[in-house]
Amino acid sequence: MFIDAHAHVDRYDIDGLLDFVLAEIDQRRILTISNAMDLPSYHSNLESAERCRFVLPIFGVHPWNAPQYAGRLDDLRAATEQSPMIGEIGLDHFFVEDPSTYPAQREVFEYFLEAAKAQDKIVHLHTKGAEAEILALLDRYDLRRVIVHWYSGPLDVLREMIDRGFYFTAGIEALHEAHVREIAREIPSERLLTETDNPGGPKAYVGGPGMPGLIQDVVRGLAEIRGVTAKAIERSVEENLRALLHHDQWLPDTYKALLYGTSSRYTSAAPTCRHPTP
């Protein structure tokens, strides 16, 4: 089974591609963690999950949207408590060039870090241009159940994150950018996850919206970069996600069945799901 650990399925509705995409995800058996960027996108992802068992919707507020929610964090609590993981959250001091928005980014980000700590949830991070500050905040909140999305920052911060046991997604950029390719080589094999950041993330590389099958190109590219077979990447990434989610109290039973089946060594230890019904 392919793992797309970071995508935005709700964004396909803008291009009228959602029906086709959900069918392709199901046909190719791509377990797709669909990150929210705000409340409307989370609700859209919940609807997609009702239609496709391979879509796992999670809630967060992207730093680009943080100013919309700063000062009204109570509006986020119900979705935060409902979501099995938290993402996409973080800071962006690279694409966002207006420093006046940075306090709002941090307010919303710290709200989610506090919630992740209290609820023992995995976080999916956007770190662009704020890698060292984010690492310091993760240490302050003592968070270790972390997926770092599309890391492209300094190698020294990367190595500190690796030392703390974080997981990392690698995507299409690793096939095109030398620095990200170097990062993809440095990520330990047991911490590597694959992603597409579909549909918008790959546009600069594929000339249009990224489609679900792009995950196979990512797997093949990473195999070449790391000097192993594509099947080895596919299998290790699936095993890595299983290991990360082992004993996770928030993972809904339907996704446990996809990941662990009935024969896995993880299954007997998996607790009863506490994920509330939407």
Side-chain angles (χ1 to χ4, degrees):
M1 180 169 62
F2 289 102
I3 305 296
D4 189 345
H6 192 101
H8 299 275
V9 171
D10 64 287
R11 304 295 293 176
Y12 286 110
D13 213 14
I14 297 172
D15 299 312
L17 295 170
L18 184 59
D19 291 346
F20 177 84
V21 163
L22 294 179
E24 184 176 346
I25 288 172
D26 186 69
Q27 180 184 18
R28 295 176 182 262
R29 294 179 55 84
I30 305 168
L31 181 56
T32 304
I33 301 177
S34 190
N35 285 246
M37 295 183 69
D38 52 22
L39 281 168
S41 63
Y42 179 56
H43 294 146
S44 176
N45 285 326
L46 286 172
E47 293 174 3
S48 291
E50 290 292 323
R51 298 172 56 194
C52 179
R53 63 186 179 130
F54 287 94
V55 174
L56 173 56
I58 68 173
F59 175 62
V61 172
H62 194 285
W64 299 351
N65 294 331
Q68 302 173 31
Y69 293 94
R72 56 185 189 101
L73 299 177
D74 282 345
D75 293 353
L76 308 177
R77 296 195 188 281
T80 303
E81 291 171 0
Q82 177 188 58
S83 180
M85 305 179 197
I86 295 176
E88 177 177 358
I89 62 171
L91 303 173
D92 191 322
H93 297 172
F94 181 82
F95 293 114
V96 179
E97 298 179 354
D98 180 2
S100 70
T101 68
Y102 295 172
Q105 287 189 29
R106 184 162 176 143
E107 177 188 342
V108 173
F109 184 42
E110 289 203 60
Y111 159 79
F112 282 113
L113 295 182
E114 184 177 357
K117 179 66 176 177
Q119 298 169 26
D120 187 25
K121 288 181 177 176
I122 295 165
V123 294
H124 290 239
L125 297 182
H126 178 108
T127 63
K128 194 68 174 174
E131 295 84 3
E133 182 176 349
I134 285 175
L135 179 59
L137 286 169
L138 293 170
D139 284 344
R140 177 186 300 178
Y141 286 90
D142 191 28
L143 292 177
R144 295 294 182 266
R145 304 186 70 212
V146 172
I147 297 174
V148 182
H149 147 63
W150 199 324
Y151 186 87
S152 59
L155 292 177
D156 60 337
V157 178
L158 170 73
R159 290 163 185 155
E160 290 193 55
M161 289 178 168
I162 289 171
D163 288 343
R164 285 158 176 76
F166 299 170
Y167 286 70
F168 300 83
T169 59
I172 194 70
E173 190 182 22
L175 283 59
H176 298 273
E177 305 292 342
H179 178 61
V180 181
R181 190 177 304 116
E182 183 178 2
I183 288 167
R185 291 193 188 99
E186 287 226 12
I187 298 170
S189 59
E190 69 275 12
R191 309 271 187 72
L192 177 66
L193 299 171
T194 45
E195 71 151 76
T196 61
D197 202 21
N198 280 339
K203 278 187 177 181
Y205 302 103
V206 302
M211 300 302 285
L214 184 64
I215 197 66
Q216 293 176 272
D217 297 334
V218 170
V219 167
R220 285 191 291 265
L222 289 173
E224 182 177 347
I225 289 168
R226 296 173 67 93
V228 298
T229 66
K231 182 56 70 173
I233 293 289
E234 179 186 349
R235 288 173 176 167
S236 67
V237 167
E238 184 175 353
E239 182 67 13
N240 292 345
L241 188 61
R242 286 173 175 164
L244 177 60
L245 289 170
H246 186 209
H247 286 308
D248 192 285
Q249 62 184 328
W250 295 100
L251 185 67
D253 289 334
T254 52
Y255 302 101
K256 288 179 188 174
L258 288 175
L259 273 174
Y260 305 121
T262 57
S263 60
S264 168
R265 63 189 173 92
Y266 296 107
T267 304
S268 61
T272 302
C273 175
R274 286 174 47 190
H275 181 63
T277 301

